[in-house]
Amino acid sequence: MIETILVAHDGSPAADTTLPAAALLARLFSAPVVLVRVLETMRPFYDPLRGEVIWLADDAPRLEIPPEELFAAPLSILRERGITAIAVVRLGKAVHELVEEARAWPAPVLVLGSHGRGGVGRAVIGSVTDRVVRSASCPVLVVRAGGPALERIEHVLIPLDGSPQAERALPYAIALADRAEARLTIARVAETHRELLLEWRGRPIAPATQERLAAIEEEVAHYLAAIRERIPVGIDVRLLHLSGDPKRQLVVAVERERTDLVVLTTRGKGGLERWLLGSVTERFLVATRVPLFIVPSTEQNEVRPTE
């Protein structure tokens, strides 16, 4: 399921926050780590060995710095931990090059920081993370810069909404919990807030509304029980039945449960609803510092070099 760990590294200290997470995945799945640096064409790039600025262009890239030298520090960190580490440098647009590099490796996971800095001080990883998640055909692990280092996994949480799209993350959540010997929490929110918003105006809830609310709660309970039957024996699993607004309830649950990693998909109900990449993901990124392991819910679109 996971055979290669690719790390998008832009050379900044903030990007180093991805290294512990990459090392952890490499150990859990006995996989090599590939450090990827994307240098945009027609941009000045400072060569620390020569102490000068060089220009990169399509017709004369002048990429004279070996990747091993460019990544000397992070490669050393990973190799000292007994991890096979490889360095790759690509020229072009960050989103396109990262997605294309991921396609060149077997069963990859792409690790990104939530923000970083490029060679000329412009935000690079931060500006491309959202587009990489939307377009990558492999899972993407987003690590918050300034958040806790992902050096171990003791608790994995996966939020589901009842759709097949959201359930595409389940095999990864199971594999991660199994390899890390972590507890797995499967959460689903009964979206009763919609009914209450429509019916409640400071008056007692009508009997018909109460029946609809009870039916919603019952459906969620049955669904979670059915999902529980799909979890292999030996994994410590817990079902978490919540009620209300998913954005609020899931964020509160992640903090309350002291989750180390959230595993979820890019889209949920109906495929067209921006369940993850819209309000839910934004809420997670703003309100928590927990790393997100994001699995494509469908085959992603190709990214053009101009993006």
Side-chain angles (χ1 to χ4, degrees), residues 21-304:
L24 175 61
L25 291 181
R27 290 194 302 269
L28 292 178
F29 293 92
S30 301
V33 172
V34 181
L35 296 171
V36 185
R37 178 82 177 267
V38 179
L39 302 177
E40 294 195 11
T41 58
M42 295 303 295
R43 295 290 186 273
F45 174 72
Y46 179 72
D47 180 350
L49 299 179
R50 295 177 176 81
E52 63 180 5
V53 173
I54 62 175
W55 280 84
L56 302 173
D58 292 323
D59 56 346
R62 287 192 59 192
L63 186 58
E64 302 167 0
I65 307 173
E68 288 278 333
E69 294 183 13
L70 195 61
F71 279 117
L75 284 173
S76 176
I77 291 173
L78 293 170
R79 289 170 178 171
E80 287 175 358
R81 301 183 183 186
I83 296 168
T84 300
I86 304 166
V88 174
V89 175
R90 296 181 66 116
L91 298 180
K93 299 296 184 180
V95 177
H96 175 77
E97 298 302 327
L98 289 174
V99 171
E100 287 302 307
E101 184 65 29
R103 289 174 176 166
W105 296 89
V109 169
L110 184 54
V111 183
L112 293 172
S114 59
H115 66 76
R117 289 290 170 184
V120 292
R122 186 175 63 85
V124 174
I125 292 182
S127 66
V128 305
T129 297
D130 180 71
R131 284 182 289 159
V132 169
V133 170
R134 292 175 187 273
S135 54
S137 57
C138 66
V140 178
L141 172 59
V142 179
V143 180
R144 283 290 300 269
L150 187 63
E151 297 179 330
R152 67 181 185 278
I153 300 175
E154 297 180 351
H155 186 194
V156 177
L157 184 143
I158 175 171
L160 299 174
D161 63 5
S163 69
Q165 291 88 348
E167 290 176 15
R168 288 174 63 96
L170 188 59
Y172 287 95
I174 292 172
L176 287 160
D178 185 33
R179 295 294 182 101
E181 298 182 349
R183 177 160 56 98
L184 175 62
T185 295
I186 303 171
R188 185 174 173 189
V189 181
E191 298 185 46
T192 52
H193 67 297
R194 295 182 177 179
E195 294 287 341
L196 293 176
L197 287 174
L198 291 174
E199 299 291 338
W200 186 74
R201 296 292 184 275
R203 300 186 298 272
I205 301 175
T209 301
Q210 292 181 5
E211 292 180 4
R212 289 196 298 271
L213 294 175
I216 293 172
E217 298 284 1
E218 184 178 3
E219 189 274 330
V220 169
H222 285 308
Y223 175 80
L224 288 173
I227 292 293
R228 175 64 181 85
E229 295 299 318
R230 295 163 55 180
I231 308 302
V233 176
I235 294 180
D236 181 10
V237 62
R238 178 192 176 195
L239 304 180
L240 185 59
H241 182 155
L242 304 169
S243 301
D245 182 355
K247 297 190 298 294
R248 182 170 303 173
Q249 293 298 325
L250 289 173
V251 167
V252 170
V254 165
E255 295 293 339
R256 183 182 64 240
E257 301 294 325
R258 296 184 178 181
T259 307
D260 297 311
L261 182 66
V262 177
V263 181
L264 66 175
T265 54
T266 50
R267 293 172 188 245
K269 290 181 179 178
L272 297 178
E273 180 179 341
R274 293 177 59 192
W275 182 71
L276 168 68
L277 289 179
S279 56
V280 172
T281 294
E282 181 181 355
R283 185 72 174 177
F284 269 123
L285 291 174
V286 170
T288 76
R289 294 185 175 182
V290 178
L292 302 180
F293 189 97
I294 305 170
V295 180
S297 57
T298 58
E299 185 176 352
Q300 303 300 303
N301 295 326
E302 182 179 358
V303 178
R304 299 178 180 177

